[in-house]
Amino acid sequence: MTDGVPATLVLPESPALLGIAAWSGTGKTTLLEQLLPALRQRGLRVAVIKHAHHDFDVDQPGKDSHRLRQAGATPMLVASRARIAMMLETPDREEADLAQLIEMVCPQSPDLILVEGFKAWPLPKLELYRSELGKPPRAAEDPWIKAVAAKGDAPHPPDVERLDLDDLGALVDWVAAWPLRWPDERAPRTGKA
């Protein structure tokens, strides 16, 4: 993990990556909750990497795994029949390193990795936009945004696809097709806004 956002990110040939970028309060997690079951029904294996802007803990104080992690285990991996969790302390880093997180997910062989947050990182993105938040859209300044999903009219460059944020079926279709489009989408837009 590094302390900043790199100018480039080595994008794997497989799996496909798609960032879900939006201002806080736009509904990124809500949309993902709706997309994931629909994508699974279409036979896609989808992983999610989510950025958190705060400290969080998935472990419970007093449990053996928490005690061992507090004692210095790094990483601490807990496994059962139903799930696996790995906790890795990173106190000397300012931010998570998306490249390292992608490497950690790839051995699970997903067809698609959806990345929530990490909006400044150089990877293809779907921007969710709600004008009522009073924030500007990012597509004009971020050449990695490939489509904007918005309610009503939203300003976007002509080389950015426009999707209806209220049309879940169309959003599912667009995201489900992303792995097929991936080989041609692994670079930023080059058109003028």
Side-chain angles (χ1 to χ4, degrees):
M1 292 185 184
T2 60
D3 289 337
V5 176
T8 61
L9 176 66
V10 176
L11 300 174
E13 288 185 33
S14 179
L17 298 172
L18 179 63
I20 306 296
W23 296 105
S24 180
T26 304
K28 296 181 297 291
T29 301
T30 301
L31 178 63
L32 286 172
E33 285 177 315
Q34 296 170 332
L35 285 175
L36 289 167
L39 295 170
R40 187 175 57 242
Q41 284 179 341
R42 292 189 184 201
L44 289 173
R45 191 173 152 95
V46 182
V48 175
I49 297 174
K50 179 177 176 28
H51 185 266
H53 290 284
H54 46 78
D55 288 341
F56 66 94
D57 202 340
V58 297
D59 211 353
Q60 297 177 18
K63 294 291 186 182
D64 292 351
S65 57
H66 186 270
R67 291 171 50 206
L68 294 171
R69 184 168 52 93
Q70 294 296 327
T74 184
M76 176 65 215
L77 194 128
V78 183
S80 74
R81 172 190 58 77
R83 69 187 48 89
I84 297 170
M86 183 172 78
M87 282 78 59
L88 179 63
E89 297 296 320
T90 58
D92 56 333
R93 298 180 178 111
E94 287 184 27
E95 269 307 330
D97 183 327
L98 182 57
Q100 184 180 26
L101 299 173
I102 292 167
E103 286 180 24
M104 293 169 78
V105 171
C106 280
Q108 301 308 311
S109 303
D111 300 304
L112 172 64
I113 300 174
L114 296 175
V115 179
E116 182 183 340
F118 294 95
K119 65 184 172 192
W121 281 72
L123 76 149
K125 300 175 195 92
L126 166 62
E127 178 181 10
L128 309 183
Y129 178 74
R130 293 185 188 275
S131 61
E132 60 267 24
L133 292 177
K135 303 277 191 173
R138 298 177 37 88
E141 67 189 43
D142 185 346
W144 286 99
I145 292 176
K146 304 294 183 152
V148 173
K151 288 182 161 198
D153 289 332
H156 63 284
D159 59 343
V160 172
E161 290 183 66
R162 169 65 170 80
L163 302 167
D164 184 344
L165 191 54
D166 288 331
D167 187 345
L168 181 61
L171 290 169
V172 170
D173 289 344
W174 193 88
V175 174
W178 189 254
L180 296 173
R181 295 173 57 186
W182 178 243
D184 298 326
E185 297 286 357
R186 293 173 41 197
R189 298 184 332 267
T190 57
K192 301 285 185 200

